[in-house]
Amino acid sequence: MALSRALGARIRRREDPRLITGTATYVDDIVLPGMLHVVLVRSPHAHARIAALDLSAARRAPGVVAVWTGDDIRARCGPLPVGPRIREMKVPRRYPLVVDGVVRHVGDPVAAVVATTPALARDAADLVEVRYDPLPPVVDVEQAAAPGAPVIHPELGTNVCYRMTFGEPVDDALGGADVVVSLRIVQQRLIAVAMETRGVVADPRGGELTVWTSTQIPHVVKTALAEMLRLPEHQVRVIAPEVGGGFGSKLDVYGEEALVAALALALGRPVKWVETRRENFLATVQGRGHVEYVDLGARRDGTLLALRVRVLADLGAYSQLLTPGVPTNTGLMACGCYHIPRAFAEVTGVFTTLPPTDAYRGAGRPEATFLIERAMDVLAARLRMDPAEVRRRNFIPPDAFPYRTPTGATYDTGNYAAALDRALQMVGYAALREEQRRLRERGRYLGIGISSYVEITGLGAAAGLPGGRWESATVRVEPTGSVVVLTGASPHGQGEETTFAQIVSDRLGVSVEDVRVVHGDTRAVPYGVGTFGSRTTPVGGSAVYLACQRVRDKALRLAAHLLEASPADIVWESDRLAVRGSPDRALSFAEVARAAYKGARLPPGEEPGLEATAVFGSPETVFPFGTHVCVVEVDPETGQVHVLRYVAVDDCGTVLNPLLVAGQVHGGVVQGLAQALFEEAVFDGQGQPLTASLLDYAVPRATHVPVMELAHTVTPTPHNPLGAKGVGEAGTIGATPAVVNAVLDALDPAGVEHLDMPLTPRKIWEALRVRRR
Amino acid sequence: MWELLNDPEVLARATPGITRLVPQGVDTYRATIEVGVGPVRGTYEGQVRIADRAPPERIRLEVEGGGRPGTIRAVGELRLEERDGQTLVTYTGDAQVTGLIASVGHRLIGGVARQMAVEFFKALERELAR
């Protein structure tokens, strides 16, 4: 029973005042006495052998304290961690600087210059003379996987990192279908463009190494640094201060983190590196980057029979922390919301001479949703059926859960038709189709796009590293009754200082204002994992809930003892604990806390204090779902897409705070719409990035954001005590196919069946022009 | 016209941005070029080599250089033919660039190249008139 109405309340984010008044502390705000500054010399070539490296001029430059190359780093630092382990996976070792004399993407770091100011370090870095002998670049993922392609890591003998299959091969079943839809889909590379770029400060003084870094996973970074730098782990402290966005790009252990720490240790002084925006486009991991082949077989009435998917995932030049694992989510989730009797997915991870890819909001699930939702729309168009009807006909029914897909995922709970029906009702689907018919007669291109998604949350970090499908929380009640929550879930904008306080308020009856949530400092909080994969509420929140339950049980025992009653007879109302039937025999929660710390009148065997730590771990992942509907009009003269309506019905199980859920959906939808219409990391045939600035990489502006109409269905998960499923990535997962389906629905009268993202005006205009000829 | 195109001093004067062109062996020159591509301004040190020539019809140049904003490798070919008592000069070129010029300047580089070509041929006309 809830003690307050905090859970589910529309409480404004408590972290926002410091964020919007400029008083929050980010890595670049940290200034230490005697601090040195690092600038990295990065390769301008996608693939080249370093023929000569002359550091002498840089070493003589004013203010320069050290110039390091790969040899210097390899003597002090081991390779970066790579996970997760996939059977027969072939991965190269990577160090913070190039150690084998070969650069493998534009931005690969060659040397590090350390000076007394950032400007002096930059000037000296320009004096590092590097002569490169270019090697053949490998830019196209299909060419990279083909026999005879130049091998990027000769010691591996191939550019193929791994092949992984899901389900059983299905050729005959596809052959038996009345209709087979075959698509080639390009999931373009994306760049996260977090508002705060990466940054690292390392301080070696005081007998421990303190590292401030803009990360989503401070504990994982701490353990990795201890191992890479061969330090006792108790001497390493990692702090994630305010983190200005990550979207997966800071769910990593980066070479710069180890490099800055190694430099600080070697030089005995604090060292800082702050990534420039340009470096962020070259050296921070990127997202997506798949070529996918999809065959979907169905009966004439729209009933699905079989699915075959082949994914070629562009891993970039190296494997970062989760690089190989991300595309495997696409294979696992390829069936989407549908009962498909037979399905087979093959995922091949391939190295190219481009920056590494890794997690990016949704991490493999948007790619899966996109391929199945595009195929469903093309199938509907081929059968001249309504796309909503084809979906409804094939949804896994609500009574079939838990449901195991042929690709090996076990969905917990779902009611996919309920979310679809709600979205269709909100958008006024039948009337819209009628309007579309009328407008088409007048040559106007109105399009309605549906995307029904199911995704997977509560995932763990890489196997082989500490941190899996669990999270820790300590709930500490102070003697005055105020509460401190220590959480391992280190946020970067999610608002857990608000939602976790709501959980405590709900469980212990204290007000939200009386709860403080501490995170991000490995010295302050118990070992934890981090924030990614929409796990903070379902996993981190559940740990807070469990710790509260322990505190609650103890407080009840103490109150019963102090009030000379049985714990079963204590009634906890708001912040008062009273004996049932005798309201004057009562203690406030603060009085119970005070007594717990006084320790004088405790029940026999009870320890003083009022604090509990809990770790929530579940072997089960959970599966949020929903339906998004987008309505667009395409201007055939310019190819411009105008988003007219956007309806999102998301089911993330229990909603802890509707305002924060709406915020996550808003941001997610914008990011998904951006992939559909605007964003693409473009490289030329030589592997040169052509979109390495905010002038060229098309992040959406405020004017591109449609008004969103949001609603929820609530289907709790049985796999955690909150029943919450997580909603951090759902918007992104639902939006991209909804927008693309809408645009292609609009173009249907022109006979355009599929176009690859981003759907820029030029691409649409050219497609229409070709069809008109 | 052919002679003009083979005179390093004329080339140095006519090529926009060239601040230095020093002969270095047969058909090879060390060059310093200052050029701005949109927001990317910089000085490039490099080598210009006459890779092939068929007097008085064709000359092929190779340029290789680098500076703070990136590196460039380019080949260019000029063809001369007589038409109605005048010399018609056609040119083709292909360049590979890296660094800031590629990633920030790429949308402007074609326009800048065309503008530099126009300036070059105008300057050549002036040299002819001397």
Side-chain angles (χ1 to χ4, degrees), chain B:
Chain B
M1 190 70 199
W2 178 257
E3 278 159 26
L4 277 182
L5 284 172
N6 281 275
D7 181 341
E9 293 201 3
V10 171
L11 288 182
R13 281 202 300 272
T15 310
I18 284 205
T19 55
R20 203 167 59 100
L21 193 69
V22 185
Q24 246 195 354
V26 182
D27 284 348
T28 305
Y29 304 90
R30 272 207 84 74
T32 306
I33 304 178
E34 276 175 27
V35 62
V37 179
V40 187
R41 310 204 147 260
T43 303
Y44 304 85
E45 295 280 343
Q47 207 178 53
V48 181
R49 198 169 75 85
I50 296 169
D52 189 18
R53 74 171 104 207
E57 284 156 5
R58 189 161 54 82
I59 183 166
R60 186 179 163 84
L61 298 170
E62 283 180 6
V63 179
E64 211 179 315
R68 280 190 193 190
T71 64
I72 184 159
R73 286 153 74 96
V75 290
E77 195 168 278
L78 288 167
R79 285 172 177 275
L80 276 56
E81 60 186 293
E82 195 188 318
R83 191 168 288 183
D84 306 331
Q86 291 191 312
T87 309
L88 179 71
V89 183
T90 53
Y91 69 96
T92 55
D94 184 34
Q96 282 174 17
V97 294
T98 73
L100 264 184
I101 353 172
S103 61
V104 178
H106 69 97
R107 286 193 299 184
L108 307 164
I109 205 162
V112 171
R114 268 191 296 280
Q115 192 199 334
M116 285 176 72
V118 168
E119 283 178 33
F120 174 74
F121 289 116
K122 276 189 179 155
L124 270 189
E125 278 179 349
R126 281 197 300 275
E127 294 285 342
L128 264 179
R130 274 159 80 118

Side-chain angles (χ1 to χ4, degrees), chain A residues 32 82 126 147 149 153 165 193 249 265 278 293 388 443 459 487 547 563 582:
Chain A
L32 300 174
V82 190
D126 283 338
H153 298 282
T165 60
V193 199
S249 73
L265 290 168
R278 182 174 157 73
Y293 291 88
L459 289 162
T487 169
L563 296 168
S582 319

Side-chain angles (χ1 to χ4, degrees), chain A residues 469-704:
Chain A
R469 291 173 179 176
W470 60 271
E471 194 53 86
S472 68
T474 297
V475 171
R476 177 179 297 158
V477 184
E478 309 276 22
T480 55
S482 71
V483 180
V484 176
V485 176
L486 311 173
T487 169
S490 187
H492 49 289
Q494 286 73 14
E496 70 182 40
E497 291 176 30
T498 307
T499 44
F500 287 4
Q502 288 178 260
I503 296 170
V504 173
S505 175
D506 180 76
R507 293 284 87 202
L508 301 181
V510 297
S511 74
V512 165
E513 290 71 31
D514 284 335
V515 184
R516 178 171 164 74
V517 179
V518 176
H519 50 71
D521 180 349
T522 63
R523 184 68 86 235
V525 305
Y527 205 97
V529 185
T531 292
F532 52 89
S534 304
R535 70 195 299 279
T536 300
T537 297
V539 186
S542 293
V544 174
Y545 180 96
L546 292 181
C548 284
Q549 288 300 97
R550 290 179 189 170
V551 167
R552 197 181 147 82
D553 290 346
K554 181 168 181 180
L556 284 170
R557 291 197 303 273
L558 293 180
H561 181 72
L562 294 167
L563 296 168
E564 298 173 345
S566 150
D569 287 334
I570 301 295
V571 185
W572 194 328
E573 270 173 8
S574 183
D575 65 343
R576 280 175 67 78
L577 291 82
V579 179
R580 192 185 313 275
S582 319
D584 51 330
R585 284 172 64 203
L587 291 167
S588 72
F589 180 62
E591 285 170 324
V592 175
R594 177 84 65 181
Y597 282 93
K598 236 180 175 143
R601 293 173 52 209
L602 297 180
E606 199 79 70
E607 290 172 5
L610 191 54
E611 171 175 330
T613 295
V615 176
F616 176 77
S618 169
E620 307 292 343
T621 46
V622 298
F623 296 83
F625 61 90
T627 289
H628 289 201
V629 181
C630 179
V631 184
V632 302
E633 182 166 4
V634 176
D635 183 338
E637 299 301 319
T638 62
Q640 181 77 39
V641 174
H642 302 279
V643 179
L644 306 178
R645 297 276 302 278
Y646 198 96
V647 169
V649 177
D650 297 292
D651 193 320
C652 54
T654 310
V655 173
L656 270 56
N657 183 330
L659 275 182
L660 269 69
V661 169
Q664 287 289 347
V665 174
H666 286 155
V669 167
V670 174
Q671 219 155 354
L673 175 131
Q675 175 175 14
L677 299 182
F678 307 118
E679 294 186 19
E680 180 172 20
V682 181
F683 296 84
D684 72 8
Q686 300 298 310
Q688 289 293 327
L690 302 183
T691 49
S693 79
L694 287 167
L695 281 173
D696 300 280
Y697 188 79
V699 288
R701 312 296 204 260
T703 51
H704 295 127

Side-chain angles (χ1 to χ4, degrees), chain A residues 189-241:
Chain A
R189 262 183 184 250
L190 299 176
I191 296 171
V193 199
M195 207 181 289
E196 181 207 17
T197 58
R198 291 185 293 130
V200 189
V201 174
D203 186 355
R205 298 168 306 172
E208 68 175 359
L209 174 72
T210 307
V211 177
W212 290 264
T213 179
S214 185
T215 185
Q216 299 172 222
I217 46 167
H219 284 95
V220 176
V221 171
K222 181 194 69 161
T223 300
L225 286 181
E227 287 177 348
M228 291 171 74
L229 300 169
R230 299 162 203 120
L231 293 170
E233 193 167 348
H234 63 72
Q235 280 178 24
V236 185
R237 174 186 186 183
V238 171
I239 301 171

